[in-house]
Amino acid sequence: MRVVTLISGRGSNLRALLEARRPGGALAGQPVEFACVISNRADAAGLAIAAEHGIATEVVDHRQHPERAAFDRALAERIDAHRPDLVVLAGFMRILSPEFVRHYENRLINIHPALLPAFPGLDTHARALAAGVKLHGCTVHFVTAEVDAGPILVQAAVPVRADDDPARLAARVLVQEHRVYPLALRWLAQGRVRVDEHGVARVSADTGDADAALVSPSG
Ligand code: GAR
């Protein structure tokens, strides 16, 4: 499975994916090849992470393509040069046009820092705290034309603590992001994911302790 990863900044999810190839990691021994990392910002810290791991990098600067459609076309051209089976958004902070999304139908995935469909969009951790939810988390999903919607591959929940602030909550969610994104790639590489006729992603995964309830507050 040839993967092109798109980033805009820090790149901690990218790092988690690359490190998951190590012995004992979720991607160890899996047929996953990271062909290229593309950023829309030349100053994205994640580009150095890619380079450290010997992965090719490119920049497609959105400021050089003021119109979204033109940027998306330039981006797709660079992506397609690598003939990817999967395009992975890892903190890629641009909204993509319906044409772009359609071009990568069923091979474009994103990680979002909330339990979708709750809290699409930005500032998810502050909004979760303001809403008083007791569980928060992250979602890996296929990308569709609607922003932060699309068939859900995997989610992880964390308890919201009484003394949380957005930064503390974000840090706890991020640990789970780094855990579930490699899992999603593993299942895709193994051909264990299908989207059914209702648009629901079905994963034939080991159930593990999937029945264990996460209750918060725990009482
Ligand atoms: C992650 O928390 C990711 O879920 C979020 O941006 C962060 C990127 O961090 N993505 C979105 O909000 C997408 N709408 P990273 O660059 O360290 O992976």
PDB file of all heavy atoms in Angstrom, residues 6-12 14 37-51 57-60 63 90-93:
ATOM      1  N   LEU A   6      -0.268  14.016   3.872  1.00  0.00           N
ATOM      2  CA  LEU A   6      -0.348  15.481   3.776  1.00  0.00           C
ATOM      3  C   LEU A   6      -0.336  16.069   5.178  1.00  0.00           C
ATOM      4  O   LEU A   6      -1.089  15.625   6.052  1.00  0.00           O
ATOM      5  CB  LEU A   6      -1.634  15.915   3.059  1.00  0.00           C
ATOM      6  CG  LEU A   6      -1.921  15.328   1.679  1.00  0.00           C
ATOM      7  CD1 LEU A   6      -3.129  16.040   1.062  1.00  0.00           C
ATOM      8  CD2 LEU A   6      -0.723  15.468   0.751  1.00  0.00           C
ATOM      9  N   ILE A   7       0.515  17.060   5.380  1.00  0.00           N
ATOM     10  CA  ILE A   7       0.635  17.709   6.682  1.00  0.00           C
ATOM     11  C   ILE A   7       0.598  19.227   6.500  1.00  0.00           C
ATOM     12  O   ILE A   7       0.801  19.746   5.392  1.00  0.00           O
ATOM     13  CB  ILE A   7       1.943  17.316   7.411  1.00  0.00           C
ATOM     14  CG1 ILE A   7       3.177  17.787   6.620  1.00  0.00           C
ATOM     15  CG2 ILE A   7       2.004  15.808   7.648  1.00  0.00           C
ATOM     16  CD1 ILE A   7       4.477  17.713   7.403  1.00  0.00           C
ATOM     17  N   SER A   8       0.392  19.914   7.641  1.00  0.00           N
ATOM     18  CA  SER A   8       0.497  21.380   7.633  1.00  0.00           C
ATOM     19  C   SER A   8       1.417  21.885   8.732  1.00  0.00           C
ATOM     20  O   SER A   8       1.789  23.059   8.721  1.00  0.00           O
ATOM     21  CB  SER A   8      -0.883  22.033   7.838  1.00  0.00           C
ATOM     22  OG  SER A   8      -1.741  21.745   6.769  1.00  0.00           O
ATOM     23  N   GLY A   9       1.742  21.050   9.724  1.00  0.00           N
ATOM     24  CA  GLY A   9       2.449  21.596  10.879  1.00  0.00           C
ATOM     25  C   GLY A   9       3.347  20.620  11.598  1.00  0.00           C
ATOM     26  O   GLY A   9       4.242  20.007  11.008  1.00  0.00           O
ATOM     27  N   ARG A  10       3.052  20.444  12.876  1.00  0.00           N
ATOM     28  CA  ARG A  10       3.900  19.737  13.842  1.00  0.00           C
ATOM     29  C   ARG A  10       4.316  18.327  13.408  1.00  0.00           C
ATOM     30  O   ARG A  10       5.452  17.912  13.595  1.00  0.00           O
ATOM     31  CB  ARG A  10       3.092  19.687  15.138  1.00  0.00           C
ATOM     32  CG  ARG A  10       3.716  19.034  16.300  1.00  0.00           C
ATOM     33  CD  ARG A  10       2.813  19.202  17.497  1.00  0.00           C
ATOM     34  NE  ARG A  10       1.468  18.626  17.283  1.00  0.00           N
ATOM     35  CZ  ARG A  10       0.498  18.631  18.165  1.00  0.00           C
ATOM     36  NH1 ARG A  10       0.683  19.197  19.346  1.00  0.00           N
ATOM     37  NH2 ARG A  10      -0.671  18.080  17.893  1.00  0.00           N
ATOM     38  N   GLY A  11       3.360  17.553  12.901  1.00  0.00           N
ATOM     39  CA  GLY A  11       3.709  16.234  12.373  1.00  0.00           C
ATOM     40  C   GLY A  11       3.808  15.126  13.398  1.00  0.00           C
ATOM     41  O   GLY A  11       4.437  14.093  13.124  1.00  0.00           O
ATOM     42  N   SER A  12       3.171  15.280  14.553  1.00  0.00           N
ATOM     43  CA  SER A  12       3.302  14.198  15.545  1.00  0.00           C
ATOM     44  C   SER A  12       2.557  12.937  15.095  1.00  0.00           C
ATOM     45  O   SER A  12       2.999  11.824  15.378  1.00  0.00           O
ATOM     46  CB  SER A  12       2.820  14.655  16.928  1.00  0.00           C
ATOM     47  OG  SER A  12       1.428  14.760  16.977  1.00  0.00           O
ATOM     48  N   LEU A  14       2.247  12.046  11.942  1.00  0.00           N
ATOM     49  CA  LEU A  14       3.153  11.484  10.938  1.00  0.00           C
ATOM     50  C   LEU A  14       4.241  10.673  11.632  1.00  0.00           C
ATOM     51  O   LEU A  14       4.540   9.535  11.237  1.00  0.00           O
ATOM     52  CB  LEU A  14       3.780  12.622  10.123  1.00  0.00           C
ATOM     53  CG  LEU A  14       4.925  12.201   9.208  1.00  0.00           C
ATOM     54  CD1 LEU A  14       4.427  11.304   8.091  1.00  0.00           C
ATOM     55  CD2 LEU A  14       5.636  13.443   8.644  1.00  0.00           C
ATOM     56  N   VAL A  37       5.803  12.786   1.719  1.00  0.00           N
ATOM     57  CA  VAL A  37       5.061  13.656   2.633  1.00  0.00           C
ATOM     58  C   VAL A  37       4.980  15.024   1.971  1.00  0.00           C
ATOM     59  O   VAL A  37       6.009  15.584   1.570  1.00  0.00           O
ATOM     60  CB  VAL A  37       5.769  13.755   4.005  1.00  0.00           C
ATOM     61  CG1 VAL A  37       5.106  14.819   4.878  1.00  0.00           C
ATOM     62  CG2 VAL A  37       5.762  12.398   4.708  1.00  0.00           C
ATOM     63  N   ILE A  38       3.769  15.536   1.832  1.00  0.00           N
ATOM     64  CA  ILE A  38       3.573  16.833   1.185  1.00  0.00           C
ATOM     65  C   ILE A  38       2.967  17.797   2.199  1.00  0.00           C
ATOM     66  O   ILE A  38       2.010  17.462   2.898  1.00  0.00           O
ATOM     67  CB  ILE A  38       2.645  16.710  -0.045  1.00  0.00           C
ATOM     68  CG1 ILE A  38       3.230  15.708  -1.048  1.00  0.00           C
ATOM     69  CG2 ILE A  38       2.441  18.081  -0.705  1.00  0.00           C
ATOM     70  CD1 ILE A  38       2.354  15.463  -2.281  1.00  0.00           C
ATOM     71  N   SER A  39       3.552  18.993   2.263  1.00  0.00           N
ATOM     72  CA  SER A  39       3.037  20.028   3.168  1.00  0.00           C
ATOM     73  C   SER A  39       2.586  21.237   2.355  1.00  0.00           C
ATOM     74  O   SER A  39       3.183  21.553   1.319  1.00  0.00           O
ATOM     75  CB  SER A  39       4.136  20.457   4.150  1.00  0.00           C
ATOM     76  OG  SER A  39       3.687  21.556   4.915  1.00  0.00           O
ATOM     77  N   ASN A  40       1.568  21.919   2.840  1.00  0.00           N
ATOM     78  CA  ASN A  40       1.169  23.171   2.189  1.00  0.00           C
ATOM     79  C   ASN A  40       1.925  24.356   2.778  1.00  0.00           C
ATOM     80  O   ASN A  40       1.718  25.487   2.360  1.00  0.00           O
ATOM     81  CB  ASN A  40      -0.347  23.399   2.330  1.00  0.00           C
ATOM     82  CG  ASN A  40      -0.780  23.584   3.770  1.00  0.00           C
ATOM     83  OD1 ASN A  40      -0.492  22.733   4.610  1.00  0.00           O
ATOM     84  ND2 ASN A  40      -1.449  24.676   4.074  1.00  0.00           N
ATOM     85  N   ARG A  41       2.798  24.057   3.765  1.00  0.00           N
ATOM     86  CA  ARG A  41       3.608  25.123   4.375  1.00  0.00           C
ATOM     87  C   ARG A  41       5.063  24.658   4.409  1.00  0.00           C
ATOM     88  O   ARG A  41       5.364  23.577   4.924  1.00  0.00           O
ATOM     89  CB  ARG A  41       3.141  25.396   5.802  1.00  0.00           C
ATOM     90  CG  ARG A  41       1.680  25.790   5.931  1.00  0.00           C
ATOM     91  CD  ARG A  41       1.359  25.999   7.389  1.00  0.00           C
ATOM     92  NE  ARG A  41       2.238  27.016   7.927  1.00  0.00           N
ATOM     93  CZ  ARG A  41       1.847  28.232   8.280  1.00  0.00           C
ATOM     94  NH1 ARG A  41       0.579  28.567   8.183  1.00  0.00           N
ATOM     95  NH2 ARG A  41       2.696  29.105   8.745  1.00  0.00           N
ATOM     96  N   ALA A  42       5.958  25.520   3.909  1.00  0.00           N
ATOM     97  CA  ALA A  42       7.378  25.172   3.871  1.00  0.00           C
ATOM     98  C   ALA A  42       7.970  25.069   5.272  1.00  0.00           C
ATOM     99  O   ALA A  42       8.983  24.392   5.487  1.00  0.00           O
ATOM    100  CB  ALA A  42       8.145  26.207   3.050  1.00  0.00           C
ATOM    101  N   ASP A  43       7.347  25.754   6.261  1.00  0.00           N
ATOM    102  CA  ASP A  43       7.907  25.771   7.617  1.00  0.00           C
ATOM    103  C   ASP A  43       7.295  24.693   8.526  1.00  0.00           C
ATOM    104  O   ASP A  43       7.478  24.735   9.741  1.00  0.00           O
ATOM    105  CB  ASP A  43       7.735  27.159   8.249  1.00  0.00           C
ATOM    106  CG  ASP A  43       6.265  27.556   8.391  1.00  0.00           C
ATOM    107  OD1 ASP A  43       5.385  26.794   7.934  1.00  0.00           O
ATOM    108  OD2 ASP A  43       5.999  28.640   8.949  1.00  0.00           O
ATOM    109  N   ALA A  44       6.571  23.740   7.960  1.00  0.00           N
ATOM    110  CA  ALA A  44       5.955  22.692   8.788  1.00  0.00           C
ATOM    111  C   ALA A  44       7.041  21.837   9.445  1.00  0.00           C
ATOM    112  O   ALA A  44       7.906  21.285   8.754  1.00  0.00           O
ATOM    113  CB  ALA A  44       5.036  21.824   7.940  1.00  0.00           C
ATOM    114  N   ALA A  45       6.991  21.729  10.764  1.00  0.00           N
ATOM    115  CA  ALA A  45       8.005  20.946  11.486  1.00  0.00           C
ATOM    116  C   ALA A  45       7.990  19.477  11.054  1.00  0.00           C
ATOM    117  O   ALA A  45       9.013  18.797  11.095  1.00  0.00           O
ATOM    118  CB  ALA A  45       7.760  21.067  12.988  1.00  0.00           C
ATOM    119  N   GLY A  46       6.838  19.011  10.619  1.00  0.00           N
ATOM    120  CA  GLY A  46       6.710  17.608  10.204  1.00  0.00           C
ATOM    121  C   GLY A  46       7.593  17.246   9.015  1.00  0.00           C
ATOM    122  O   GLY A  46       7.919  16.068   8.824  1.00  0.00           O
ATOM    123  N   LEU A  47       7.990  18.233   8.220  1.00  0.00           N
ATOM    124  CA  LEU A  47       8.856  17.931   7.070  1.00  0.00           C
ATOM    125  C   LEU A  47      10.198  17.370   7.538  1.00  0.00           C
ATOM    126  O   LEU A  47      10.762  16.464   6.915  1.00  0.00           O
ATOM    127  CB  LEU A  47       9.064  19.188   6.216  1.00  0.00           C
ATOM    128  CG  LEU A  47       7.841  19.650   5.426  1.00  0.00           C
ATOM    129  CD1 LEU A  47       8.093  21.018   4.794  1.00  0.00           C
ATOM    130  CD2 LEU A  47       7.464  18.619   4.360  1.00  0.00           C
ATOM    131  N   ALA A  48      10.704  17.895   8.654  1.00  0.00           N
ATOM    132  CA  ALA A  48      11.984  17.400   9.185  1.00  0.00           C
ATOM    133  C   ALA A  48      11.817  15.974   9.720  1.00  0.00           C
ATOM    134  O   ALA A  48      12.731  15.150   9.618  1.00  0.00           O
ATOM    135  CB  ALA A  48      12.489  18.326  10.292  1.00  0.00           C
ATOM    136  N   ILE A  49      10.660  15.676  10.274  1.00  0.00           N
ATOM    137  CA  ILE A  49      10.402  14.321  10.773  1.00  0.00           C
ATOM    138  C   ILE A  49      10.437  13.337   9.602  1.00  0.00           C
ATOM    139  O   ILE A  49      11.043  12.265   9.687  1.00  0.00           O
ATOM    140  CB  ILE A  49       9.043  14.271  11.508  1.00  0.00           C
ATOM    141  CG1 ILE A  49       9.100  15.156  12.753  1.00  0.00           C
ATOM    142  CG2 ILE A  49       8.656  12.838  11.848  1.00  0.00           C
ATOM    143  CD1 ILE A  49       7.764  15.349  13.455  1.00  0.00           C
ATOM    144  N   ALA A  50       9.794  13.721   8.506  1.00  0.00           N
ATOM    145  CA  ALA A  50       9.811  12.861   7.318  1.00  0.00           C
ATOM    146  C   ALA A  50      11.248  12.637   6.851  1.00  0.00           C
ATOM    147  O   ALA A  50      11.661  11.505   6.584  1.00  0.00           O
ATOM    148  CB  ALA A  50       8.988  13.494   6.201  1.00  0.00           C
ATOM    149  N   ALA A  51      12.012  13.730   6.762  1.00  0.00           N
ATOM    150  CA  ALA A  51      13.389  13.640   6.282  1.00  0.00           C
ATOM    151  C   ALA A  51      14.224  12.738   7.191  1.00  0.00           C
ATOM    152  O   ALA A  51      15.007  11.910   6.707  1.00  0.00           O
ATOM    153  CB  ALA A  51      14.001  15.030   6.184  1.00  0.00           C
ATOM    154  N   THR A  57      10.063  14.544   0.639  1.00  0.00           N
ATOM    155  CA  THR A  57       9.125  15.608   1.017  1.00  0.00           C
ATOM    156  C   THR A  57       8.929  16.581  -0.135  1.00  0.00           C
ATOM    157  O   THR A  57       9.833  16.765  -0.964  1.00  0.00           O
ATOM    158  CB  THR A  57       9.628  16.409   2.237  1.00  0.00           C
ATOM    159  OG1 THR A  57      10.857  17.051   1.885  1.00  0.00           O
ATOM    160  CG2 THR A  57       9.839  15.527   3.449  1.00  0.00           C
ATOM    161  N   GLU A  58       7.766  17.191  -0.164  1.00  0.00           N
ATOM    162  CA  GLU A  58       7.478  18.238  -1.134  1.00  0.00           C
ATOM    163  C   GLU A  58       6.618  19.291  -0.459  1.00  0.00           C
ATOM    164  O   GLU A  58       5.935  19.008   0.527  1.00  0.00           O
ATOM    165  CB  GLU A  58       6.703  17.673  -2.338  1.00  0.00           C
ATOM    166  CG  GLU A  58       7.513  16.674  -3.153  1.00  0.00           C
ATOM    167  CD  GLU A  58       6.783  16.200  -4.401  1.00  0.00           C
ATOM    168  OE1 GLU A  58       5.901  16.947  -4.895  1.00  0.00           O
ATOM    169  OE2 GLU A  58       7.088  15.094  -4.860  1.00  0.00           O
ATOM    170  N   VAL A  59       6.665  20.505  -1.011  1.00  0.00           N
ATOM    171  CA  VAL A  59       5.810  21.579  -0.514  1.00  0.00           C
ATOM    172  C   VAL A  59       4.949  22.062  -1.677  1.00  0.00           C
ATOM    173  O   VAL A  59       5.463  22.333  -2.762  1.00  0.00           O
ATOM    174  CB  VAL A  59       6.647  22.754   0.047  1.00  0.00           C
ATOM    175  CG1 VAL A  59       5.745  23.926   0.417  1.00  0.00           C
ATOM    176  CG2 VAL A  59       7.476  22.295   1.242  1.00  0.00           C
ATOM    177  N   VAL A  60       3.651  22.123  -1.452  1.00  0.00           N
ATOM    178  CA  VAL A  60       2.739  22.789  -2.393  1.00  0.00           C
ATOM    179  C   VAL A  60       2.111  23.919  -1.591  1.00  0.00           C
ATOM    180  O   VAL A  60       1.228  23.692  -0.763  1.00  0.00           O
ATOM    181  CB  VAL A  60       1.665  21.822  -2.947  1.00  0.00           C
ATOM    182  CG1 VAL A  60       0.770  22.544  -3.942  1.00  0.00           C
ATOM    183  CG2 VAL A  60       2.312  20.597  -3.596  1.00  0.00           C
ATOM    184  N   ARG A  63      -0.416  29.493  -0.685  1.00  0.00           N
ATOM    185  CA  ARG A  63      -0.421  30.939  -0.957  1.00  0.00           C
ATOM    186  C   ARG A  63      -0.058  31.242  -2.416  1.00  0.00           C
ATOM    187  O   ARG A  63      -0.317  32.314  -2.923  1.00  0.00           O
ATOM    188  CB  ARG A  63       0.537  31.660  -0.009  1.00  0.00           C
ATOM    189  CG  ARG A  63      -0.010  31.692   1.419  1.00  0.00           C
ATOM    190  CD  ARG A  63       1.055  32.105   2.373  1.00  0.00           C
ATOM    191  NE  ARG A  63       2.262  31.302   2.174  1.00  0.00           N
ATOM    192  CZ  ARG A  63       3.350  31.381   2.926  1.00  0.00           C
ATOM    193  NH1 ARG A  63       3.404  32.235   3.912  1.00  0.00           N
ATOM    194  NH2 ARG A  63       4.389  30.596   2.685  1.00  0.00           N
ATOM    195  N   ALA A  90      -2.735  14.164   7.891  1.00  0.00           N
ATOM    196  CA  ALA A  90      -2.220  14.100   9.263  1.00  0.00           C
ATOM    197  C   ALA A  90      -1.974  15.531   9.743  1.00  0.00           C
ATOM    198  O   ALA A  90      -0.865  16.049   9.645  1.00  0.00           O
ATOM    199  CB  ALA A  90      -0.940  13.264   9.309  1.00  0.00           C
ATOM    200  N   GLY A  91      -3.050  16.160  10.215  1.00  0.00           N
ATOM    201  CA  GLY A  91      -2.935  17.564  10.599  1.00  0.00           C
ATOM    202  C   GLY A  91      -2.805  18.448   9.376  1.00  0.00           C
ATOM    203  O   GLY A  91      -2.075  19.439   9.379  1.00  0.00           O
ATOM    204  N   PHE A  92      -3.544  18.109   8.326  1.00  0.00           N
ATOM    205  CA  PHE A  92      -3.555  18.921   7.107  1.00  0.00           C
ATOM    206  C   PHE A  92      -4.724  19.893   7.229  1.00  0.00           C
ATOM    207  O   PHE A  92      -5.878  19.472   7.291  1.00  0.00           O
ATOM    208  CB  PHE A  92      -3.706  18.038   5.870  1.00  0.00           C
ATOM    209  CG  PHE A  92      -3.603  18.789   4.570  1.00  0.00           C
ATOM    210  CD1 PHE A  92      -2.385  19.318   4.163  1.00  0.00           C
ATOM    211  CD2 PHE A  92      -4.704  18.967   3.761  1.00  0.00           C
ATOM    212  CE1 PHE A  92      -2.278  20.020   2.964  1.00  0.00           C
ATOM    213  CE2 PHE A  92      -4.615  19.667   2.564  1.00  0.00           C
ATOM    214  CZ  PHE A  92      -3.392  20.191   2.168  1.00  0.00           C
ATOM    215  N   MET A  93      -4.408  21.191   7.318  1.00  0.00           N
ATOM    216  CA  MET A  93      -5.411  22.163   7.755  1.00  0.00           C
ATOM    217  C   MET A  93      -5.994  22.984   6.601  1.00  0.00           C
ATOM    218  O   MET A  93      -6.236  24.173   6.746  1.00  0.00           O
ATOM    219  CB  MET A  93      -4.818  23.072   8.846  1.00  0.00           C
ATOM    220  CG  MET A  93      -4.266  22.318  10.040  1.00  0.00           C
ATOM    221  SD  MET A  93      -5.451  21.162  10.808  1.00  0.00           S
ATOM    222  CE  MET A  93      -6.332  22.285  11.868  1.00  0.00           C
TER     223      MET A  93
END
